[in-house]
Amino acid sequence: MDIDARGPRFGAAVTAVVLTVVLVTGSAWLLAWQTLAFLLGAAGGVSRSPYGLLFRKAVRPRLGPPTDFEAPEPPRFAQTVGLLFAGLGLVGYTLGPDWLGLAATGAALAAAFLNAAFGYCLGCELYLLVRRVAVRAE
């Protein structure tokens, strides 16, 4: 079942804010929260992530009906990619080196910002690329 395309963009906007605060404050706890949010989105889909639930309960009722839908698999894959980067960032912030935390968090922030501001989901595009390569390999 396709999902409202506004939901992942909303989640990306919240993620971008959270990751910006992580970069400004260096808070490993806040990055741990974001890592958990990515984990829940990767495991259950974006509609089951904390930001997806917030969108569905608090934001979507205030919007008009959705006009743009997308398959849930690409955003779910994007959550997995975000989980990997946030996990690397968490390792960098907690165990070192510091540059790993900054670089991985910055990369996740860049991807979240692109999705939130322009609707360009890097993880979704990566999903489609992987699918094309997998089909050719068969």
Side-chain angles (χ1 to χ4, degrees):
M1 178 180 203
D2 288 348
I3 58 173
D4 183 346
R6 300 173 296 184
R9 279 189 83 175
F10 172 79
V14 175
T15 298
V17 170
V18 169
L19 293 174
T20 299
V21 173
V22 168
L23 285 174
V24 169
T25 65
S27 173
W29 289 107
L30 188 55
L31 186 54
W33 160 255
Q34 183 58 53
T35 304
L36 176 63
F38 279 136
L39 175 64
L40 294 172
V46 292
S47 62
R48 291 201 171 99
S49 73
Y51 308 146
L53 293 171
L54 180 63
F55 174 78
R56 192 168 68 243
K57 299 290 185 187
V59 177
R60 187 172 177 185
R62 290 168 174 72
L63 302 174
T67 58
D68 191 20
F69 295 91
E70 65 181 311
E73 295 85 8
R76 188 172 183 174
F77 183 83
Q79 293 289 297
T80 304
V81 174
L83 173 63
L84 293 173
F85 277 92
L88 277 174
L90 195 54
V91 167
Y93 276 110
T94 57
L95 303 175
D98 290 340
W99 65 262
L100 178 61
L102 292 168
T105 303
L109 171 59
F113 176 78
L114 283 173
N115 194 357
F118 305 109
Y120 187 80
C121 176
L122 285 173
C124 300
E125 295 300 322
L126 181 60
Y127 173 84
L128 296 173
L129 178 65
V130 167
R131 290 285 309 234
R132 272 182 263 162
V133 168
V135 168
R136 287 184 188 162
E138 291 178 353

